[in-house]
Amino acid sequence: MEIRRGAAPAGAVATAARGRDLPSLPPASAVRETPPAPLGRPVLLLFALASGLAVANAYYAHPLLDVMADDLGLSHAMAGLIVAATQIGYGLGLVLLVPLGDLLDRRRLILAEFLLSVLALVAVAVSTSAAMLLAAMAAVGLMAVVTQALVAHAAGLARPAERGHVVGVVTGGIVLGILLARSVAGTLTDLSGWRTVYLASALLTLLVSALLWRALPRQHPPRRSGPAPSYPRLIGSLVTLVVEEPALRIRAVLALLIFADITTLLAPLVLPLSAPPFELSHTQVGLFGLAGAAGALGAVRAGRWTDRGHGQRVTGIALGLMLLAWLPISLLDRSLLWLVVGVVIIDFGLQATHVANQGLIYRVRTEAQSRLTAAYMVFYSIGSALGSALSTLVYAHAGWAGVCLAGAGISLAALLFWALTLPAMPTSPTPASSTPASPTPAST
């Protein structure tokens, strides 16, 4: 499979023409023996459930920014730092932890990260100062990257012709986790305070860890012909992948823009909704997230469409929808129903673009799926952190109209970037069915 003229075969670990090598990892067939149909429905649904719970840990704070800031002495203008700290931790985890999935047993890595997530959530719940809270939220973000380990593991176990669908199902679970996180967080906060949210999540995370221990497919220890690559070289290969793969570069920049766009909406949303004339409770603010449930449908369907070679078309339509969504969102002062319409549209467009992105980059180098995930999601984390931190400042100085103008500007930039980079992307990606599930260095 070729992504660009002169590219190395998909299964190759080195790009001789460029004189730069990725770490010499064992072929996928040496790391695990994948049966013809490794992902039955129960296991796939467990992947989706676990991914949804893990990512929810990074989103509970969105509807709670005001009460968390008031409790620990942060101004509302600086409340976005709570989400930004989580995203910074997430970005570090993407660079330092996710690539290990190409070297270590992903099952053990996933279980270890789930157990460490329990400790991080408890630390948030017992925070007594703003500094302690921000540090604990960064730890939550660091461990939340287990979501991406689950996505990469599911993609690696899937049949090539179904890889987009599998990624779509797991991403659908992630979408529902994000939406339910806001609703549950708002309800529990109104009932017994924001700290209860994180204690309850710690218990659920521990329970899911037990389910994963029993059900996750096992991996055989890697059989290497030579010494294992060093950890610094493994991490350094992320830069190599970004430099050498135009599909990864383009889709990563799109990820930065679309996630900056969505957090520009979500981070300050609690501020106008909890203030006059709406004065909604945290439960009611959290329920607004459910309006984006269409995003789960967008994720699943986009995976199927990408499997059929329509990834670029899906991307263009979805980005256009994200831009269009800011018109009804800007009419919040007239009716809450306009906000609902806008959230449905923007979340559908976001998830469809995200799944199309992943479906396309996972076809680049199948022996490096964890590192492809890490490199791509680093840009996602940067975008989320920028959107969260800047949008609350924009709201403090320019109100909701300023937030909407900023969001629409980001959406327009994403759409223009996609259009301008069309010539650099393959117009018709190699069908997934022709890509070997476990390529060896000699495969083509």
Side-chain angles (χ1 to χ4, degrees), residues 28-46:
S29 58
V31 178
R32 61 178 180 271
E33 295 177 5
T34 307
L39 283 181
R41 183 176 295 273
V43 176
L44 182 56
L45 292 178
L46 178 60

Side-chain angles (χ1 to χ4, degrees), residues 175-176 179 289-300 343-345 347-349 351-352:
V175 175
L176 292 178
L179 299 179
L290 294 178
L297 175 62
V300 176
V343 169
V344 169
I345 296 172
D347 204 61
F348 184 96
Q351 300 304 334

Side-chain angles (χ1 to χ4, degrees), residues 288-381:
F288 263 86
L290 294 178
L297 175 62
V300 176
R301 298 307 306 168
R304 288 289 194 194
W305 293 328
T306 302
D307 282 337
R308 296 169 184 169
H310 304 308
Q312 287 284 42
R313 186 177 303 172
V314 167
T315 303
I317 295 172
L319 291 175
L321 288 174
M322 291 187 72
L323 176 58
L324 178 66
W326 283 102
L327 177 58
I329 289 171
S330 69
L331 300 177
L332 171 62
D333 59 337
R334 300 189 182 184
S335 173
L336 289 175
L337 291 178
W338 285 117
L339 177 63
V340 173
V341 171
V343 169
V344 169
I345 296 172
I346 198 170
D347 204 61
F348 184 96
L350 172 82
Q351 300 304 334
T353 304
H354 182 43
V355 171
N357 285 348
Q358 291 176 299
L360 292 173
I361 67 170
Y362 280 143
R363 299 179 185 182
V364 174
R365 295 192 184 182
T366 54
E367 86 285 350
Q369 287 181 343
S370 289
R371 285 169 290 164
L372 287 170
T373 300
Y376 170 79
M377 293 301 294
V378 162
F379 286 79
Y380 147 87
S381 188

